[in-house]
Amino acid sequence: MTCFVKMLLWKKLHWSCTIGNRRTNDPQGVRRRIVDTAYDTFVRQGYIATGMLEIREKASVSGGAMAHHFPAKCQLGLAVIRDRVTQAVRQTWIEPLDVSLDAPAAIDLIFGNIISELTYKGSVSGCPLNNMAMEISHHDPEMRAALSEIFAAWHDALSAKFQADVAAGRTVGMNPNSLATLVIALYSGAMAIAKTRQDVGALIDCRTELAALLASKYRMQ
């Protein structure tokens, strides 16, 4: 067998996946399917408890395709963080902050949307960012750094919204940075409790108390 033929066979093995009886060459589609499957599985049962073989089987990809895109589990973990967890935080928190009139309205809307979604689903998997941060931060410095960047972007977005409200004269006497930290901590803690209890009560309580706290800070002195 010539080197050229061997190269063609290697490429076919690594760039193809099987869907039913049909083979397809779609490297980006295969990669997306692997990452999507990994994200869903990591959120539901955890990063450490999930094996690469399980993900490969659920994503219906060949061993060669899996090895080509993600030779190691940590590389897949990074892809999930950068491609999916980042997107989840952006869609859930940062985009509503960008389009809302002020921070209290945005935060109340976000909590309401999450509570409604979880109630409809009938189960709580937890915050994807918090789940992975709690599980792997001590095990992989590169993934820890990637998760830290997402927390920083989330915090910056909240802080900027509070600062914009100060600049617009909607509130006085607040510290945007520390208040942003408080909001993230309250939400993350409430999600952890909700996941443990499989009940949205903690989110409802935090939404109510946070709305009251922000209302007091937005009363002009």
Side-chain angles (χ1 to χ4, degrees):
M1 183 181 294
T2 67
C3 290
F4 177 72
V5 173
K6 288 181 179 179
M7 180 180 70
L8 290 179
L9 290 174
W10 186 90
K11 285 186 176 181
K12 184 176 182 180
L13 174 67
H14 286 74
W15 289 87
S16 299
C17 65
T18 302
I19 305 176
N21 294 321
R22 179 173 61 88
R23 295 189 69 82
T24 180
N25 290 316
D26 180 13
Q28 292 307 310
V30 172
R31 185 185 184 280
R32 281 194 300 271
R33 190 159 69 254
I34 294 170
V35 173
D36 286 341
T37 301
Y39 173 71
D40 291 339
T41 310
F42 291 166
V43 169
R44 284 188 296 101
Q45 67 187 40
Y47 172 83
I48 294 174
T50 302
M52 292 291 274
L53 178 60
E54 179 182 0
I55 294 170
R56 179 172 73 79
E57 291 176 345
K58 287 182 176 179
S60 299
V61 299
S62 69
M66 188 76 170
H68 170 77
H69 290 288
F70 302 106
K73 186 179 177 182
C74 61
Q75 293 175 333
L76 178 56
L78 280 169
V80 168
I81 292 168
R82 291 167 176 163
D83 296 355
R84 296 297 179 269
V85 178
T86 297
Q87 182 183 46
V89 173
R90 172 162 291 281
Q91 291 178 344
T92 303
W93 276 93
I94 297 176
E95 290 177 1
L97 284 167
D98 287 342
V99 300
S100 296
L101 174 63
D102 55 35
I107 293 167
D108 189 69
L109 173 65
I110 291 164
F111 267 83
N113 287 341
I114 292 168
I115 291 167
S116 296
E117 180 183 352
L118 296 178
T119 301
Y120 176 78
K121 287 172 60 179
S123 64
V124 183
S125 299
C127 169
L129 175 58
N130 197 46
N131 285 358
M132 294 198 74
M134 294 293 289
E135 187 177 16
I136 65 177
S137 290
H138 287 296
H139 299 285
D140 189 289
E142 193 171 4
M143 281 194 278
R144 181 172 67 245
L147 292 165
S148 181
E149 289 178 4
I150 301 174
F151 272 115
W154 183 7
H155 182 275
D156 288 348
L158 275 165
S159 181
K161 193 67 175 181
F162 285 130
Q163 186 59 57
D165 288 346
V166 172
R170 299 187 183 100
T171 178
V172 294
M174 72 153 60
N175 184 319
N177 286 327
S178 61
L179 195 54
T181 300
L182 177 65
V183 172
I184 293 172
L186 282 173
Y187 172 76
S188 298
M191 283 295 286
I193 296 171
K195 180 180 178 180
T196 301
R197 295 177 176 173
Q198 286 299 300
D199 180 270
V200 297
L203 287 163
I204 293 172
D205 289 344
C206 281
R207 179 191 187 187
T208 300
E209 294 302 320
L210 189 53
L213 172 65
L214 293 176
S216 70
K217 289 183 175 296
Y218 275 68
R219 294 191 187 109
M220 297 303 297
Q221 302 297 322

